[in-house]
């Protein structure tokens, strides 16, 4: 293991500091080696802030004061990362070896391997980087093999790098040039990449790739591009195409694509083109399936007949689910039953279809509806709650209490990796902490996971408590799986904006799992997952504080903005929280479109027949979570009855019925 004094010399050489002042700093730091953990955390935070500013001397000063602090390697990591091109190979090799399982290791190793490639350190790159999965590193490694004459199997490796539907990093250009000099790509490979680019929506790349296609086939590439960007125009032109493989493939793809946005036009085009080309039975069945599916998604009643006309091999679970949804949207409850009965045994056993079977039986005034609802009402989920409400009986909610186990908690705190995860949370590096926690949790027993959840909850790290209990399979520890984070602010703001606090909590739990720094792929941020543009608009209308997207990671800013936004949506939709939640998830334009174009139905049917699968699952989840928060707040269950079943009758309460 590298001694601390050696590390300090390396650090000094990296940042250009004289050794004497560094030694003096280290000596001064040793006087406070036994300082409290709070002071160590503060020194670490100062060092981390210095790293973010690029102040490497400040990082060194913090390192020198924190020899025995478990997070000191994070500062060392930042120093190495910032000076990546100047780190001696032996230093990086030893540092990564000692911290192979730390949350920063993969990121640092990739940055270093990329640096070796940029600097053409071929021997070191081949020694350390041959197993990397990073695209840029793989291209550097391939380049190194070209330079060193290691060509065996290289063409196939480069083909894998080239044959993707997106542009590759500039680091790949040298090895792609070598590959082309070997006579690549073949027409087949060129067509494969062209198709991948078209399917990925990378039109510019697809246009570039035309040069690699045989000259006699480039006209078909133009037709692919037209069909992908404007399928209606492409299909009109297809009437004049010869009947050959390219034509059949392109027409079938174009009809399927158009069906997603305009099923009626797609059906019209297919009616015109189907007799014109000698499609295979598989192509015809695939197109007919898509047309029937998207007619069903549009809730067109004749989709039932279109689905029934499909060959048996394409009537899969998705098709049967949408057959049931079309039927319920048009009050054809016998057909709902028929659709469910056609599903697999596993699918029929799902809570969703057990509920809809009961709902169909009830709509048909069949007495066995009571049995169907009765077998489901014991489930503590959205469909189980609805079944209980249909029977006008208390909702089943059996909470399991967790008690601290001092021995198990002490054992966890002796685990260096667990202790590191908790410490990362305390210094504000929750992202690194979650990565570390996930590694630890894979090797913990159920009892250890439950105690870890209690410890995380006590620290206010609610998303890790939820994750630990999910990993433990403990679904009934409701106070910890549904924590009342920021309770004072949520209750006060809910009163101010006249929004039910249980609904706020239900939506917050669905959106972020109480993770204050949550960031979605779309850019939504914080506890209530607000988009920056929405936050700015809400702030302007309500006179709330907001100075940029970083603010949304602060609960004190995120909550007022998010709850004010919910209040605005609540007013827009006349208090209908099914529409509020749908708009929060999919946007007000989508909800307006659904309201204008889809049949008027009961609320539970409206939720089940939404065309976006994410929103279709999201709205019931919000309402189910809100129901659990009603229990948390000591209230009766009224929200789900009101919004899903349209009943203002007092809720039947909660009860615990253990099987």
């Amino acid at each position: 293991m590298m001694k601390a004094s050696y590390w300090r010399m390396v650090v000094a050489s990296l940042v250009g500091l004289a050794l004497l002042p560094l030694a003096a700093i280290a000596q001064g730091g040793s006087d406070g080696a036994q300082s409290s953990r709070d002071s160590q955390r503060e020194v670490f935070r100062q060092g981390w802030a210095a790293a973010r500013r690029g102040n490497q001397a400040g990082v060194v000063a913090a390192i020198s004061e924190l020899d025995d602090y478990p997070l000191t390697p994070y500062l060392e990591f930042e120093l190495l990362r910032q000076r990546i091109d100047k780190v001696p190979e032996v230093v990086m090799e030893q540092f990564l070896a000692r911290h192979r399982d730390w949350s920063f290791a993969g990121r640092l190793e990739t940055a270093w391997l990329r640096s070796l490639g940029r600097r053409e350190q071929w021997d070191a790159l081949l020694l350390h980087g041959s197993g990397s999965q990073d695209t840029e590193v793989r291209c550097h490694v391939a380049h190194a093999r070209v330079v060193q004459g290691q060509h065996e199997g290289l063409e196939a490796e480069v083909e894998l790098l080239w044959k993707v539907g997106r542009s590759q990093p500039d680091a790949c250009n040298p090895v792609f040039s070598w590959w082309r000099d070997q006579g690549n790509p073949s027409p087949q490979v060129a067509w494969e990449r062209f198709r991948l680019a078209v399917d990925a929506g990378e039109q510019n790349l697809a246009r570039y790739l035309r040069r690699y296609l045989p000259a006699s086939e480039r006209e078909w590439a133009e037709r692919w591009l037209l069909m992908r960007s404007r399928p209606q125009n492409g299909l009109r032109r297809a009437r004049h195409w010869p009947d050959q493989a390219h034509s059949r493939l392109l027409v079938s793809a174009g009809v399927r694509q158009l069906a997603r946005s305009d099923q009626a036009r797609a059906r019209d085009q297919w009616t015109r083109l189907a007799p014109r080309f000698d499609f295979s039975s598989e192509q015809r069945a695939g197109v007919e399936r898509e047309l029937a599916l998207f007619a069903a998604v549009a809730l067109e009643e004749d989709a039932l007949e279109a689905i029934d006309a499909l060959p048996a091999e394409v009537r899969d679970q998705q098709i049967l689910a949408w057959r049931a949804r079309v039927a319920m949207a048009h009050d054809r409850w016998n057909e709902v039953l028929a659709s469910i009965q056609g599903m697999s045994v596993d699918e029929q056993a799902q809570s969703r279809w057990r509920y809809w079977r009961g709902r169909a039986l009830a709509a048909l005034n069949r007495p066995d509806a009571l049995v169907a609802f009765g077998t489901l009402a014991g489930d503590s989920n959205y469909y189980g709650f609805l079944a209980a409400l249909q029977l006008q009986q208390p909702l089943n909610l059996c909470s399991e209490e967790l008690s601290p186990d001092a021995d198990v908690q002490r054992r966890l705190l002796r685990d260096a990796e667990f202790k590191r995860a908790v410490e990362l949370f305390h210094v504000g590096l929750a992202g690194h902490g979650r990565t570390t926690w996930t590694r630890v949790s894979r090797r913990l027993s159920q009892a250890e996971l439950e105690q870890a959840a209690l410890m995380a909850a006590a620290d206010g790290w609610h998303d890790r408590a939820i994750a630990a209990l999910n990993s433990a399979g403990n679904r009934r520890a409701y106070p910890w799986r549904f924590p009342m984070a920021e309770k004072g602010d949520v209750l006060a703001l809910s009163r101010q904006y006249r929004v039910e606090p249980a609904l706020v909590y239900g939506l917050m739990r669905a959106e972020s799992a109480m993770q204050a720094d949550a960031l979605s792929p779309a850019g939504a941020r914080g506890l209530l997952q607000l988009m920056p543009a929405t936050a700015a608009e809400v702030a302007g209308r309500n006179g709330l504080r907001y100075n940029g997207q970083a603010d949304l990671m602060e609960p004190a800013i995120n909550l007022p903005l998010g709850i004010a936004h919910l209040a605005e949506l609540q007013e827009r939709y006349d208090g209908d929280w099914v529409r509020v939640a749908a708009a929060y998830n999919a946007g007000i334009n989508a909800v307006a479109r659904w309201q204008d174009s889809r049949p008027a139905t009961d609320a539970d049917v409206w939720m089940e027949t939404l065309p976006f699968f994410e929103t279709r699952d999201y709205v019931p989840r919000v309402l189910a979570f809100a129901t659990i928060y009603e229990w948390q707040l000591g209230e009766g269950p009224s929200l789900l009855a009101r919004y899903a079943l349209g009943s203002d009758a007092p809720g039947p309460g909660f009860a615990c019925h253990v099987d």
Side-chain angles (χ1 to χ4, degrees):
M1 180 175 291
M2 191 162 44
K3 293 182 179 179
S5 59
Y6 176 67
W7 166 252
R8 292 195 186 97
M9 291 177 66
V10 171
V11 168
S13 68
L14 287 175
V15 300
L17 298 174
L19 289 178
L20 183 58
L22 180 60
I25 291 170
Q27 180 64 36
S30 65
D31 293 337
Q34 301 303 316
S35 61
S36 70
R37 181 51 53 91
D38 285 345
S39 66
Q40 287 183 315
R41 288 172 179 168
E42 184 54 34
V43 170
F44 179 88
R45 291 188 189 100
Q46 291 173 3
W48 193 260
R52 294 184 66 180
R53 297 192 302 271
N55 176 6
Q56 294 167 11
V59 180
V60 173
I63 290 172
S64 67
E65 290 190 53
L66 294 172
D67 281 345
D68 63 341
Y69 185 57
L71 301 188
T72 302
Y74 281 86
L75 297 177
E76 298 168 358
F77 146 68
E78 269 297 306
L79 210 52
L80 290 170
R81 188 184 65 80
Q82 292 184 19
R83 304 289 290 179
I84 199 75
D85 291 342
K86 298 183 179 180
V87 181
E89 181 182 345
V90 65
V91 172
M92 185 63 78
E93 186 178 13
Q94 291 185 14
F95 185 79
L96 287 172
R98 287 187 293 124
H99 301 95
R100 177 60 57 191
D101 296 332
W102 289 52
S103 59
F104 56 68
R107 177 183 174 191
L108 180 62
E109 181 176 45
T110 297
W112 179 50
L113 294 173
R114 289 179 177 181
S115 170
L116 291 175
R118 288 194 304 271
R119 292 182 285 126
E120 300 184 354
Q121 301 294 305
W122 304 131
D123 290 338
L125 179 64
L126 289 172
L127 177 63
H128 300 290
S130 294
S132 175
Q133 297 302 306
D134 178 75
T135 298
E136 185 174 334
V137 173
R138 289 173 62 199
C139 285
H140 281 310
V141 168
H143 189 189
R145 290 176 61 188
V146 169
V147 171
Q148 298 201 354
Q150 300 177 17
H151 296 168
E152 185 177 354
L154 186 55
E155 285 189 52
E157 171 66 21
V158 178
E159 181 179 309
L160 292 176
L161 288 165
W162 190 81
K163 197 171 61 178
V164 295
R166 61 186 181 279
S167 296
Q168 294 288 51
D170 290 345
C172 298
N173 292 341
V175 74
F176 286 165
S177 179
W178 169 85
W179 183 68
R180 288 192 294 270
D181 289 344
Q182 312 311 305
N184 296 298
S186 68
Q188 178 183 347
V189 170
W191 267 112
E192 286 180 33
R193 190 180 187 196
F194 176 85
R195 288 283 309 279
L196 289 169
V198 169
D199 290 344
E202 296 286 345
Q203 295 278 4
N204 290 336
L205 175 61
R207 290 189 178 94
Y208 166 80
L209 292 170
R210 288 176 300 185
R211 68 188 64 190
Y212 299 113
L213 300 172
S216 61
E217 298 179 6
R218 290 175 189 167
E219 181 182 7
W220 285 106
E222 295 293 341
R223 290 169 176 171
W224 269 107
L225 290 167
L226 175 64
M227 192 70 79
R228 179 60 65 179
S229 59
R230 297 190 299 280
Q232 175 73 358
N233 291 348
L235 291 169
R236 278 201 296 266
R237 295 186 185 185
R239 300 172 194 172
H240 308 293
W241 293 350
D243 183 11
Q244 59 187 56
H246 270 308
S247 304
R248 295 190 289 272
L249 183 63
L250 192 47
V251 168
S252 61
V255 173
R256 290 163 68 128
Q257 180 183 334
L258 183 60
R260 296 173 179 271
S261 58
D262 193 333
Q263 186 274 335
R265 286 188 176 181
R267 170 64 69 182
D268 180 64
Q269 290 291 352
W270 180 242
T271 300
R272 295 170 184 270
L273 292 169
R276 173 76 177 76
F277 297 95
D278 186 20
F279 294 103
S280 69
S281 58
E282 292 80 9
Q283 286 175 324
R284 289 182 183 276
V287 172
E288 292 289 351
R289 180 194 182 280
E290 293 296 290
L291 291 169
L293 173 63
F294 286 100
V297 171
L299 300 183
E300 296 179 8
E301 190 169 7
D302 59 5
L304 289 172
E305 287 67 36
I307 289 173
D308 291 345
L310 293 173
E313 61 268 19
V314 297
R315 272 185 277 141
D316 54 20
Q317 300 303 308
Q318 183 186 33
I319 286 287
L320 290 171
W322 273 105
R323 188 184 190 281
R325 292 182 181 116
V326 172
M328 66 180 71
H330 293 282
D331 288 325
R332 295 177 65 176
W333 293 100
N334 273 322
E335 297 297 343
V336 174
L337 286 177
S339 301
I340 296 171
Q341 288 163 2
M343 296 176 183
S344 69
V345 173
D346 288 344
E347 197 73 11
Q348 290 186 51
Q350 297 296 314
S351 295
R352 166 179 260 126
W353 298 116
R354 289 166 63 198
Y355 172 76
W356 287 110
R357 181 175 180 277
R359 186 77 157 76
L361 292 170
L364 295 169
N365 295 315
R366 286 178 46 177
D368 44 346
L370 298 177
V371 177
F373 286 139
T375 62
L376 179 60
D379 291 2
S380 300
N381 58 33
Y382 170 75
Y383 296 104
F385 292 158
L386 283 185
L389 290 170
Q390 295 280 7
L391 296 173
Q392 298 182 354
Q393 69 182 37
L395 279 59
N396 191 36
L397 202 64
C398 295
S399 180
E400 180 178 332
E401 295 300 312
L402 300 179
S403 300
D405 185 319
D407 290 338
V408 175
Q409 292 192 6
R410 277 194 294 269
R411 187 163 69 244
L412 287 170
L413 289 173
R414 287 194 297 270
D415 185 309
E417 197 170 18
F418 179 83
K419 188 160 56 177
R420 184 163 71 244
V422 174
E423 193 64 19
L424 284 162
F425 170 72
H426 281 295
V427 299
L429 299 185
H432 282 288
R434 274 187 286 274
T435 301
T436 307
W437 180 288
T438 300
R439 276 187 52 83
V440 176
S441 67
R442 295 191 187 113
R443 55 180 170 77
L444 298 183
S445 67
Q446 179 178 345
E448 288 170 332
L449 285 166
E450 290 176 352
Q451 292 303 309
L454 288 179
M455 296 165 74
D459 281 338
W461 202 4
H462 298 298
D463 64 281
R464 289 305 87 195
I466 294 167
L469 290 168
N470 287 342
S471 297
N474 189 329
R475 316 296 291 181
R476 291 182 170 180
Y478 293 112
W480 296 274
R481 288 189 63 237
F482 294 89
M484 301 188 68
E486 310 292 335
K487 182 177 180 180
D489 286 345
V490 170
L491 295 182
L493 290 163
S494 296
R495 285 193 299 271
Q496 178 182 345
Y497 287 100
R498 298 182 180 180
V499 180
E500 291 275 2
L503 289 167
V504 174
Y505 269 123
L507 189 139
M508 190 192 309
R509 176 64 168 76
E511 286 285 341
S512 67
M514 305 307 178
Q515 181 180 322
D517 62 342
L519 175 63
S520 79
R525 287 167 160 79
L527 286 172
L528 284 166
Q529 286 290 276
L530 288 165
M531 294 295 290
T534 301
E537 294 168 1
V538 173
R541 288 193 293 267
N542 293 274
L544 296 170
R545 181 162 64 98
Y546 177 65
N547 294 310
Q549 61 188 30
D551 280 359
L552 295 177
M553 301 305 197
E554 298 295 331
I557 296 175
N558 187 284
L559 289 174
L561 290 169
I563 295 174
H565 181 41
L566 288 172
E568 291 177 345
L569 292 174
Q570 189 170 265
E571 182 176 1
R572 172 187 284 269
Y573 296 111
D574 296 324
D576 181 354
W577 255 76
V578 170
R579 266 67 172 180
V580 170
Y584 204 91
N585 178 257
I588 58 176
N589 291 335
V591 172
R593 197 164 58 245
W594 298 336
Q595 288 180 310
D596 291 342
S597 63
R598 303 173 82 76
T601 63
D602 294 337
D604 59 344
V605 173
W606 193 84
M607 284 185 271
E608 181 60 42
T609 57
L610 288 174
F612 291 0
F613 76 89
E614 180 184 340
T615 309
R616 188 166 62 247
D617 290 342
Y618 173 86
V619 179
R621 187 164 66 251
V622 168
L623 293 176
F625 288 175
T627 299
I628 295 172
Y629 277 107
E630 287 182 294
W631 173 81
Q632 283 275 61
L633 290 162
E635 301 171 354
S638 63
L639 298 175
L640 197 54
R642 186 188 318 161
Y643 297 118
L645 301 182
S647 171
D648 289 326
F654 293 99
C656 177
H657 303 293
V658 181
D659 294 337

